[in-house]
Amino acid sequence: MGLGSQGCWFMKSCITLSLVPSLKGGPWILWDDLADGFKNAAQMGFDMVELFTEGPETGISNELKNQLNETGLGIAAVGTGAGKVLNGLTLTDKNPDIRTHALSFIREMIDFGAEYNAPAIIGSMQGAYGGEVSREKAITWLQQSLEELGEHAIRQGVSLIYEPLNRYETNLFNHYLDACEFLDQLSTNGVSLLADLFHMNIEETDIAESIKKGARHLGHVHFADSNRKPVGYGHTNMEPVAQTLKEIGYEGCISAEAFAWPDSLTAAQKTIDSYKKYFT
Ligand code: LER
Ligand code: MN
């Protein structure tokens, strides 16, 4: 399990890069410039970059391929959140046209990521229930969407990552283990779960224990401290979380989705220092 021949764990150190300047202040560490972002990530020793873009048609594929070749980095995942934040699309909207658009947006994001062997993440595009939409109805829509999109991801050779969020961002699934039970009921095995340590700090009784009990579905980790600053600037007890990830033999991404605090480069350096402290 998890320990490579160099004595390093097989987990991969990853850093988020947002190419959406209008969302400045959001929880991404590197910003705006693809070439600069890749150069800094490579120089600091990260393995991969998690991309946050406006959508699949971003016109960056040539530059992206150049950067991947030049730096040797990989793409950890692609975030779909802009579908909600910029376009108002969710999988549980009361309007069927919006739900249909949400599905096709995510399908295209899966295709975009698959070009780079990277999974897409469904976080805020899951939406929420309320008003005319009952919890039961929203969960059914989410379930149908994940079945369909999970199978689409499998056909494209990648997985799809579903992310439980804290109570201020959704009322569908806030707890990691509730989301695990939800995934148990899907017939597709194309969907895995994201353990975002910031959301979990708000919702879980014991982050490490939840990850251990729900290890069967773990597909991605968002690495952030209690206050969503880079790990080391908050008060989450990271040692037992790291220990659990090693014990369960997790071999996926440890991806820093955190505020660029106090600035991008300091945040990136703090993150890689914390990654080395806990995982090498
Ligand atoms: C996305 O990964 C996430 O964690 C959400 O909080 C974004 O709204
Ligand atoms: Mn997250």
Side-chain angles (χ1 to χ4, degrees), residues 36-256:
D36 261 9
F38 271 78
K39 190 186 78 193
N40 288 324
Q43 275 174 1
M44 287 185 188
F46 286 94
D47 298 315
M48 299 181 122
V49 171
E50 179 176 321
L51 272 185
F52 188 83
T53 60
E54 283 181 13
E57 303 296 336
T58 50
I60 56 169
S61 56
N62 281 343
E63 199 188 345
L64 189 49
K65 282 176 186 141
N66 285 343
Q67 289 305 324
L68 292 169
N69 282 337
E70 264 177 41
T71 60
L73 299 180
I75 302 293
V78 296
T80 63
K84 155 100 188 292
V85 193
L86 300 182
N87 307 313
L89 303 174
T90 74
L91 297 169
T92 52
D93 195 282
K94 64 176 191 290
N95 180 335
D97 291 338
I98 293 184
R99 296 200 302 277
T100 303
H101 278 130
L103 271 173
S104 49
F105 183 91
I106 296 172
R107 225 179 279 115
E108 286 169 26
M109 287 301 293
I110 291 171
D111 298 347
F112 171 57
E115 275 189 62
Y116 310 97
N117 215 14
I121 297 171
I122 299 180
S124 46
M125 282 197 75
Q126 68 193 274
Y129 73 88
E132 292 164 39
V133 178
S134 64
R135 175 170 176 87
E136 200 184 9
K137 196 174 262 182
I139 298 288
T140 302
W141 287 335
L142 181 63
Q143 181 167 354
Q144 290 167 346
S145 304
L146 292 184
E147 294 281 12
E148 182 185 330
L149 295 167
E151 288 302 294
H152 183 74
I154 289 174
R155 282 192 297 274
Q156 295 292 68
V158 287
S159 70
L160 175 67
I161 297 169
Y162 170 65
E163 178 172 24
L165 304 174
N166 76 66
R167 68 191 68 181
Y168 306 107
E169 299 191 33
T170 187
N171 51 17
L172 296 176
F173 291 103
N174 304 126
H175 291 99
Y176 182 85
L177 290 175
D178 290 343
C180 271
E181 284 178 19
F182 175 58
L183 256 58
D184 285 340
Q185 291 158 29
L186 298 183
S187 51
T188 179
N189 48 31
V191 185
S192 62
L193 272 190
L194 201 165
D196 182 317
L197 303 181
F198 164 71
H199 297 305
M200 292 183 84
N201 166 67
I202 295 172
E203 299 296 345
E204 307 294 329
T205 305
D206 181 332
I207 299 175
E209 191 65 17
S210 295
I211 290 176
K212 192 179 293 179
K213 286 188 177 150
R216 66 191 180 283
H217 287 305
L218 184 64
H220 199 76
V221 172
H222 275 162
F223 192 50
D225 218 317
S226 52
N227 43 16
R228 220 172 204 182
K229 288 177 180 171
V231 170
Y233 288 138
H235 58 74
T236 295
N237 183 8
M238 206 52 76
E239 195 57 58
V241 177
Q243 189 53 36
T244 293
L245 290 167
K246 292 171 190 168
E247 275 170 27
I248 65 172
Y250 177 66
E251 295 185 352
C253 295
I254 304 289
S255 189

